[in-house]
Amino acid sequence: MKNLKKNTEKTERTPFFSRMKHLIENANAWGVFVMGSTFVLMFGSAYLAYILQNDFTQLHLERRSTMIGLIFMIVAAAFFVFKLSFFIYTFIRFLKYKAIPSVSDEELPTVTVIVPAYNEGKQVWATLKSLAVSDYPAHKIQLLAIDDGSKDDTWTWMQEAKKELGDRVSICQQPKNMGKRHALYRGFNEGTGEIFVTVDSDSIVDRDTLRNLVSPFIVDENCGAVAGNIRVLNNKKEILPKMLDVSFALSFEFVRSSESTLNSVLCTPGALAAYRATAVFGCLDEWINQTFMGQASDIGEDRAMTNMILKQGFHVLFQRNALAYTNVPEKYKGLYKMFIRWGRSNVRENIQMSKYVFTNFRKGPKAGARLLFFSQFSRIVLCYPFVLFMLVFVLTHPLLFLSSTFVSIMVLSTFPVLFYAKRYSISESIWAYSYSILFTFGLFWITPYALATASRSGWLTRELPQK
């Protein structure tokens, strides 16, 4: 982890042209093609939109001349105003965010770190090693690794970690594959710490991650859960991880920072999260027995736990200075399966949140939490009208659709580019443009599909790859 941090700091200090030279020298042909195509499409579309100005004007006049078109324009304008206002609000809240610095060793609480693993192979060994060398008082940390009936050599690597780390780690096996939620449930019941920390078995952490992650529980007695800051681990070669690293930076360091100032982070990620033990036991039975449309919930355990802790009236915060690096899909198939799982969980938990968010569920301000809920829920409600509009637009005015869409991507993606460039790397930040194109044309169907199939179970990405 020291090396990762040093490399990041070195990258930030390297002059822009040196970084661009390094990027070009180490770029592969496919990466150059994707990035080049991205800019050709965006700038070409901007020129096309300029040429088609009269056609856009005529289209707007046609829409205003019919009742359906007029209603659509009013709804679209209202939604645009809301999203713009919400972005400005989020940006203002982001500017107010400050990570809580670590408390002293004496103040740090006892923690139980739970690492559930399934078909993770050697990576679980690396995860446990990074946790074992954490800068945290040894007598205050309990490290539990749970093999959830893996079909590969995960258990062997857990045993190797046990031999190397000795009493610093405890390992156990589930009698069969029961799902991540049940592995965590076992860890919650066997853990003895005041704080539970959950870490995915494909993640590694910095030395100071644990102490930074749990410090908010000491500073804020109403804190029930804390979300860690997730970066991409396998972003050195493949294109998708590079794109996702930029996306993660915006999702965590911008969005969750804003949510944290409202004490209402909506999801504590499975890759790195912390929970007050009393908050966990306040909803543990409900959580392990959770169902949706009559079927046991075996996905979205992190979002569900966050939701239930918020419902109890606790604050849920984000710690930007608590870093974990996790592996993400490198191929499109793995990516869309991951997004489907997240999408289904999002649908389920927004329904659950709607049952309490407008009640007096906690002391203090609640308007922020309600606004966050409304923003997420509106995205789900409007997904079908949006897709229908897009299909009609494509069929009736294909050139206008393509030119306006690519220009919109160029404008809207500039903020993620600037955000990532400011915090990390200018040369890598431009992947935000490519990711937006991929999301718009290759993943637009995820939310409608997840909504239509929200009752389906299955992790989708946990099995061994087919050979």
Side-chain angles (χ1 to χ4, degrees):
M1 280 300 89
K2 281 184 176 179
N3 291 334
L4 276 172
K5 190 175 288 185
K6 286 179 180 177
N7 289 339
T8 300
E9 292 172 353
K10 183 178 180 180
T11 300
E12 291 174 347
R13 292 194 297 265
T14 305
F16 171 72
F17 290 108
S18 297
R19 276 180 272 167
M20 292 303 297
K21 180 181 177 182
H22 175 79
L23 178 66
I24 293 171
E25 289 175 349
N26 292 275
N28 57 48
W30 177 239
V32 172
F33 172 78
V34 170
M35 186 56 65
S37 299
T38 296
F39 283 100
V40 168
L41 287 169
M42 288 192 303
F43 288 114
S45 295
Y47 179 68
L48 183 61
Y50 173 76
I51 294 176
L52 297 175
Q53 288 182 78
N54 292 334
D55 297 85
F56 280 110
T57 301
Q58 183 62 33
L59 177 61
H60 291 152
L61 291 174
E62 290 175 1
R63 286 178 178 171
R64 285 204 296 264
S65 65
T66 64
M67 182 60 68
I68 294 178
L70 184 60
I71 292 174
F72 170 79
M73 291 184 69
I74 293 173
V75 172
F79 185 68
F80 174 77
V81 170
F82 168 73
K83 295 302 290 184
L84 179 61
S85 302
F86 184 75
F87 172 78
I88 294 172
Y89 175 75
T90 301
F91 186 75
I92 293 172
R93 301 305 309 188
F94 162 75
L95 294 177
K96 295 182 178 181
Y97 171 80
K98 289 184 179 180
I100 296 172
S102 171
V103 298
S104 65
D105 284 3
E106 292 72 24
E107 295 175 288
L108 286 171
T110 57
V111 299
T112 296
V113 183
I114 306 169
V115 181
Y118 180 70
N119 292 344
E120 209 59 68
K122 187 177 181 179
Q123 181 60 48
V124 69
W125 175 81
T127 300
L128 294 174
K129 281 200 67 175
S130 74
L131 289 164
V133 298
S134 293
D135 179 21
Y136 204 93
H139 65 285
K140 290 187 175 183
I141 185 171
Q142 175 190 26
L143 181 55
L144 300 178
I146 303 169
D147 177 23
D148 186 29
S150 296
K151 300 174 184 178
D152 64 354
D153 58 353
T154 295
W155 179 244
T156 300
W157 283 108
M158 279 190 177
Q159 291 175 312
E160 287 296 318
K162 175 67 177 176
K163 289 179 184 177
E164 184 173 342
L165 302 175
D167 293 339
R168 284 180 289 174
V169 61
S170 298
I171 62 174
C172 59
Q173 269 185 313
Q174 295 282 72
K176 61 178 181 179
N177 177 233
M178 301 171 68
K180 183 179 179 182
R181 190 177 297 227
H182 284 272
L184 289 171
Y185 181 73
R186 179 170 179 173
F188 289 142
N189 281 298
E190 293 185 6
T192 59
E194 300 168 82
I195 306 297
F196 291 121
V197 173
T198 62
V199 179
D200 279 350
S201 54
D202 60 353
S203 305
I204 56 177
V205 301
D206 283 342
R207 280 181 55 83
D208 60 355
T209 289
L210 290 182
R211 64 186 306 126
N212 288 335
L213 185 69
V214 304
S215 290
F217 294 101
I218 304 302
V219 177
D220 181 358
E221 63 180 10
N222 292 319
C223 178
V226 177
N229 188 6
I230 309 302
R231 296 290 307 282
V232 173
L233 180 62
N234 56 328
N235 66 334
K236 301 299 181 290
K237 295 182 180 180
E238 299 296 331
I239 293 176
L240 281 182
K242 291 178 182 293
M243 296 181 186
L244 288 172
D245 193 42
V246 181
S247 175
F248 277 24
L250 189 73
S251 176
F252 284 91
E253 300 191 27
F254 180 68
V255 175
R256 280 176 174 79
S257 291
S258 171
E259 293 176 349
S260 189
T261 65
L262 301 170
N263 301 319
S264 301
V265 173
L266 297 184
C267 182
T268 51
L272 179 66
Y275 307 100
R276 193 180 294 274
T278 52
V280 169
F281 290 120
C283 63
L284 191 57
D285 289 342
E286 179 186 1
W287 179 76
I288 193 61
N289 294 308
Q290 186 183 32
T291 60
F292 183 79
M293 297 183 69
Q295 296 187 17
S297 294
D298 60 354
I299 59 173
E301 73 294 326
D302 48 3
R303 178 75 194 275
M305 178 63 76
T306 309
N307 221 357
M308 292 177 186
I309 289 176
L310 279 170
K311 183 181 178 181
Q312 294 178 63
F314 287 104
H315 296 167
V316 179
L317 307 177
F318 167 69
Q319 276 289 80
R320 187 166 57 199
N321 56 5
L323 281 159
Y325 305 81
T326 192
N327 286 316
V328 297
E330 297 181 349
K331 304 298 180 183
Y332 175 72
K333 185 176 182 180
L335 181 67
Y336 78 67
K337 285 185 175 182
M338 181 179 75
F339 279 153
I340 288 172
R341 189 176 75 246
W342 289 358
R344 288 173 179 165
S345 173
N346 194 40
V347 171
R348 296 180 184 192
E349 294 307 321
N350 271 287
I351 292 173
Q352 294 301 317
M353 192 173 184
S354 69
K355 298 177 181 179
Y356 73 83
V357 73
F358 294 105
T359 67
N360 189 29
F361 67 97
R362 74 176 178 205
K363 297 178 181 178
K366 294 171 278 291
R370 291 166 181 167
L371 183 60
L372 295 174
F373 163 78
F374 181 78
S375 177
Q376 289 224 346
F377 199 76
S378 64
R379 203 179 311 165
I380 295 172
V381 170
L382 294 175
C383 68
Y384 284 116
F386 171 78
V387 170
L388 179 61
F389 160 75
M390 186 175 73
L391 292 176
V392 171
F393 197 6
V394 169
L395 293 174
T396 57
H397 302 86
L399 286 179
L400 297 184
F401 169 77
L402 289 174
S403 59
S404 61
T405 299
F406 280 111
V407 170
S408 298
I409 287 172
M410 183 168 59
V411 173
L412 297 177
S413 298
T414 297
F415 178 76
V417 169
L418 295 175
F419 185 85
Y420 192 88
K422 173 68 175 177
R423 293 200 56 79
Y424 296 107
S425 166
I426 296 176
S427 57
E428 294 293 327
S429 67
I430 53 181
W431 286 111
Y433 291 121
S434 300
Y435 178 74
S436 293
I437 292 175
L438 171 65
F439 193 89
T440 301
F441 292 94
L443 298 168
F444 71 91
W445 55 273
I446 294 292
T447 300
Y449 181 77
L451 180 57
T453 61
S455 62
R456 292 189 187 178
S457 299
W459 194 261
L460 300 177
T461 57
R462 300 187 80 217
E463 294 304 319
L464 291 170
Q466 298 296 320
K467 296 182 179 180

